Amino acid sequence: MKFTKMHGCGNDYVYFDCIKVDFPGGAQGEKQAAIKLSDRHFGIGGDGIILIKKGTKADFEMVMYNADGSRSQMCGNGVRCVGKLVYDAGYTKGHEFTVESMGAVKVLTVVEGERGDKVAKLSVDMGQPILAGAKIPVALKSDERVIQHPLVIGGVEYKATCVSMGNPHAVVFIDKKPADFPVCEVGPLFENDKFFPERTNTEFAYVEDRRTIWMRVWERGTGETLACGTGTCATVVAAILNGLVDAGEKITVHLLGGDLVIEWSGDENDSVFMTGPAETVFKGDVEI
């Protein structure tokens, strides 16, 4: 089956165009393929796989699997790559179109092109942040916001601000750039802590100034990735809630794989907007 390897800021997935050709084996086949193909030694290599299908609620649908075969609700870097693929393939001629994932619909806008009609950068309306604790979800029955909530992880107390961008995130602010932070040790402890009934993605972030953040991320079901679009949005939302950056401004977030620009008004009824690159690495055929 034909595939396209793509990445957004180093957050890489194997993409399958299933608009005209069905993926073999149904949901179980998709899960098994995600585990097999994501392996960086024995497969194609990636943070997971994403299937692109005709949408029912939107122009297109993305079906996303993590590297461990679990489904994921949304990936900000992944949805930008979906946008590039469908636009570059000529499935849409408009500079604005919609993509759904597990019922949630995102609006994509082509921002910048490259070499003719190819897309280099897109902006995504990532929707409203979910701030009510029980809806994120965390192990609280109330709808209170979870801001700087103390958690003892691996014998160390951290303070987490929790946000859902269609998937749960715990944002931890640290006092220096996260280059040397033990993400691969602490991340899985956060992911599987009982405070997070559906597991969690965890961002370790350092606020350099009112418009600049440095961040590393541990993604549930995958491990550390070079970037996470929903996590970057959640981090900026958390930084605004804690008064660390300015609402309504374009906040640049430096990730291991590149930069994303996030904007949010500070009003929970308003959408978070993310702008960043989408790149094709190579194409090929693989036996499923």
Side-chain angles (χ1 to χ4, degrees):
M1 190 165 181
K2 295 185 182 300
F3 70 88
T4 304
K5 178 71 181 294
M6 307 180 76
H7 79 90
C9 292
N11 196 189
D12 60 333
Y13 291 86
V14 182
Y15 292 79
F16 291 94
D17 181 347
C18 299
I19 291 176
K20 296 180 179 178
V21 179
D22 291 336
F23 198 90
Q28 187 61 29
E30 295 169 359
K31 176 180 178 179
Q32 292 174 349
I35 297 170
K36 176 183 176 181
L37 299 178
S38 298
D39 191 293
R40 297 188 185 276
H41 298 288
F42 299 102
I44 297 170
D47 293 325
I49 70 170
I50 293 178
L51 285 59
I52 304 169
K53 304 181 179 183
K54 293 180 181 178
T56 55
K57 294 182 177 180
D59 298 319
F60 306 97
E61 179 185 10
M62 63 179 273
V63 179
M64 176 187 171
Y65 289 86
N66 295 314
D68 67 353
S70 60
R71 281 292 304 272
S72 183
Q73 296 101 321
M74 177 49 61
C75 172
N77 294 310
V79 76
R80 292 198 315 277
C81 289
V82 169
K84 174 176 173 58
L85 193 151
V86 300
Y87 189 88
D88 289 356
Y91 289 135
T92 178
K93 298 297 183 183
H95 277 62
E96 185 174 286
F97 48 92
T98 54
V99 177
E100 64 177 289
S101 177
M102 295 185 77
V105 176
K106 306 301 181 189
V107 179
L108 280 69
T109 304
V110 175
V111 175
E112 184 179 298
E114 63 182 11
R115 294 192 304 275
D117 295 328
K118 304 294 184 181
V119 175
K121 187 177 291 186
L122 299 98
S123 179
V124 185
D125 178 341
M126 294 294 290
Q128 302 165 346
I130 297 169
L131 305 178
K135 296 177 182 177
I136 289 173
V138 298
L140 297 175
K141 295 181 179 180
S142 74
D143 283 341
E144 288 183 31
R145 294 181 177 184
V146 185
I147 299 176
Q148 294 294 79
H149 184 85
L151 288 172
V152 177
I153 304 291
V156 178
E157 183 174 289
Y158 296 90
K159 292 184 178 179
T161 297
C162 300
V163 178
S164 173
M165 291 301 306
N167 53 358
H169 294 270
V171 181
V172 177
F173 294 104
I174 57 180
D175 58 6
K176 61 180 179 180
K177 293 180 182 179
D180 297 322
F181 189 86
V183 171
C184 294
E185 296 175 21
V186 179
L189 301 179
F190 266 94
E191 176 183 356
N192 296 292
D193 190 81
K194 62 183 180 181
F195 188 65
F196 306 104
E198 296 181 7
R199 299 187 295 166
T200 190
N201 306 281
T202 310
E203 288 74 37
F204 302 95
Y206 168 72
V207 179
E208 182 174 72
D209 58 43
R210 303 295 298 183
R211 298 188 186 180
T212 310
I213 298 174
W214 295 77
M215 188 193 96
R216 286 173 66 188
V217 58
W218 178 269
E219 292 198 51
R220 62 175 181 173
T222 299
E224 183 175 18
T225 58
L226 297 184
C228 175
T230 56
T232 307
C233 291
T235 295
V236 171
V237 169
I240 290 171
L241 293 177
N242 283 284
L244 302 175
V245 299
D246 297 321
E249 299 291 344
K250 289 179 168 44
I251 309 300
T252 298
V253 182
H254 300 300
L255 305 125
L256 293 180
D259 296 346
L260 292 174
V261 176
I262 311 297
E263 187 174 359
W264 183 52
S265 71
D267 186 331
E268 64 183 299
N269 296 310
D270 289 343
S271 291
V272 181
F273 290 89
M274 171 191 62
T275 301
E279 298 185 33
T280 298
V281 183
F282 62 89
K283 300 181 180 182
D285 290 278
V286 65
E287 185 175 338
I288 302 298

